[in-house]
Amino acid sequence: MKIQGWAAHGAKRKLEPFSYDAGLLGPEEVEIAVEFCGLCHSDISILNNDWGLSRYPVIPGHEAVGQVVAAGDHVKGLQVGQRVGVGWNADSCMHCHECMTGNNNLCLEAAPTIVGHHGGFADRIRAHWLWAIPLPDALDTSSAGPLLCGGLTVFAPLSTFGVKPTDWVGVVGIGGLGHLALQFANAWGCEVTAFTSNPSKADEARKFGAHRIVSSRDSAEILQAANSLDFLLITVNMSLDWASLLKTLKPNGRMYVVGAVLEPMSIPAFDLIMGQKSVSGSPTGGPATISTMLDFAARHNIAPQVEHFPLGKVNDAIEHLAAGKARYRVVLDVA
C-alpha cells in the first residue's frame, strides 16, 4: 500500500511530496483516510529536531481527522466508515502498568505519531485502534483536529489534578494552546485570568472566556495578582519571570507546564516551601482522556479558532505558524 504525503528529509528542510510503502495492515491497526490535519508547533519542533528526537524522512501531522477505510482482524470498537482522530501517539505497548491504568501516554514504549512513524500530512495514516478516537457527531470535523493535541494538552491537567469549578485559574500565553485553555477553564466553571504579552489579544481573550487580563511581561502587573490563583497553566515555550508568576498562586497552588520551555526554569525554593506550592507538567493524555475531552468540547461548543491551508501549501502554512501569525491554529485540508 503506497501512502502519499509530504515529508522533510532533514532538519529545517522544506517538506516535499513523498510516498512510502506502508506494508500489510497489522491485526490491531486501522487505516484512516485523512480529511483534515492540524499543524502544531510540535510539528515544527520535530521538523527542526529541537528536541533531539526526530527521525528522517518524517511526515509531520499529529492532529489527523478522517474516516476508517480498513481495519485489522483484531480491531475492536471501530468500523469502516467511522470518523476518528489520531493525536500525538499512534500506539503503546498495552501491557505495562501505565497502559493498564489508562495512562497510555506515559508508556515507555508509546509510539509518537511523527517520531519513527509517518503522520497525517498524507492521504492515509495508520494507528492502533485504541489511539484512533471516535469523534462526537456534534464536532465540526474541519476544525476538530487541533483538539487532539492542543485541546488535550490543556484539558488533561484540569481533569487529572481535580481543578474545581470554584477555583481561580490562570493561563499564560494566549496562542494555539492558550485560547483553548481559556475556553475549557471557563466551561469548567472557573474564574479565569489570561496572562498575555500582546495587549491586542485582550478582547479575544475575553471572548474565549477570560474574566481578567494581565501582562505576562510586566512583573509589577503580575505581582498585582499575587495570592489569587489556585492553578496556573503555562502554555508558552519561552522563559518568563517565573518567580513573580509563582507568587500569583495561593497556598497549595500549582504551576503546571505544558509549553516545552527549553531553558531551565528558575523556581525559588523558599516560595515553594512556604506556600506549599507545586510545579508539574504532562505530555498530552491517554485515549480515555482524549475521548472525555472531545465529549466535553462537543457539549460546551468548544472549538479552536482555525485558519485553513491546502496540503499542497504546507510549507506556506509552516512559515505562517513559525512567524507567529496564526490566529490561533492552522489546519491543512487534505481530502
Side-chain angles (χ1 to χ4, degrees):
M1 172 66 192
K2 285 283 187 179
I3 292 180
Q4 310 292 326
W6 286 73
H9 293 268
K12 301 182 179 181
R13 292 175 60 177
K14 288 187 178 296
L15 273 64
E16 302 173 355
F18 176 75
S19 65
Y20 67 97
D21 186 348
L24 295 175
L25 189 67
E28 296 194 355
E29 281 188 313
V30 292
E31 184 167 293
I32 300 155
V34 181
E35 298 171 347
F36 302 97
C37 190
L39 169 61
C40 177
H41 266 289
S42 297
D43 292 305
I44 296 177
S45 295
I46 291 296
L47 287 173
N48 294 341
N49 199 23
D50 291 337
W51 303 334
L53 303 173
S54 306
R55 303 180 203 171
Y56 302 98
V58 58
I59 296 179
H62 59 277
E63 296 177 341
V65 172
Q67 290 191 20
V68 176
V69 293
D73 292 340
H74 296 166
V75 168
K76 297 176 176 64
L78 296 178
Q79 305 294 327
V80 170
Q82 190 169 6
R83 188 164 276 108
V84 298
V86 177
W88 177 254
N89 289 313
D91 200 356
S92 54
C93 79
M94 307 299 169
H95 61 78
C96 69
H97 176 77
E98 284 69 30
C99 284
M100 295 296 288
T101 54
N103 295 307
N104 309 61
N105 58 306
L106 302 180
C107 171
L108 297 180
E109 297 179 29
T113 302
I114 58 173
V115 179
H117 181 282
H118 290 308
F121 294 179
D123 59 356
R124 300 284 190 273
I125 188 173
R126 290 184 177 181
H128 188 281
W129 62 265
L130 187 67
W131 287 99
I133 313 300
L135 298 180
D137 292 338
L139 288 181
D140 177 1
T141 56
S142 70
S143 62
L147 292 172
L148 296 162
C149 178
L152 174 64
T153 296
V154 298
F155 175 87
L158 301 177
S159 174
T160 301
F161 287 96
V163 173
K164 301 183 293 296
T166 53
D167 283 348
W168 288 60
V169 171
V171 177
V172 180
I174 311 308
L177 293 176
H179 89 289
L180 286 167
L182 294 179
Q183 294 180 67
F184 279 117
N186 183 286
W188 208 260
C190 302
E191 184 76 14
V192 185
T193 300
F195 293 79
T196 179
S197 62
N198 188 346
S200 70
K201 291 184 177 181
D203 288 342
E204 283 184 301
R206 291 187 180 92
K207 181 187 74 174
F208 293 131
H211 298 101
R212 62 173 175 166
I213 312 295
V214 174
S215 170
S216 60
R217 293 294 187 183
D218 187 334
S219 296
E221 192 169 333
I222 293 172
L223 289 173
Q224 290 177 10
N227 197 41
S228 67
L229 302 176
D230 300 285
F231 195 87
L232 181 63
L233 186 65
I234 310 296
T235 71
V236 299
N237 61 357
M238 62 191 71
S239 292
L240 294 171
D241 183 353
W242 303 118
S244 294
L245 287 169
L246 195 65
K247 289 183 182 298
T248 67
L249 294 175
K250 301 175 185 177
N252 288 312
R254 181 181 296 271
M255 179 188 289
Y256 201 90
V257 183
V258 295
V261 183
L262 297 179
E263 298 81 14
M265 297 172 64
S266 180
I267 302 294
F270 192 76
D271 199 13
L272 281 180
I273 294 168
M274 298 306 294
Q276 201 165 289
K277 301 174 184 179
S278 303
V279 178
S280 54
S282 64
T284 65
T289 306
I290 301 174
S291 183
T292 300
M293 177 272 302
L294 292 174
D295 286 342
F296 187 87
R299 185 183 311 157
H300 293 280
N301 297 314
I302 293 171
Q305 182 173 307
V306 301
E307 301 174 75
H308 286 267
F309 285 74
L311 181 58
K313 297 289 187 181
V314 60
N315 289 306
D316 293 340
I318 291 171
E319 290 179 9
H320 181 74
L321 178 60
K325 296 179 179 179
R327 285 285 182 101
Y328 283 89
R329 302 289 294 197
V330 172
V331 172
L332 298 173
D333 299 338
V334 179

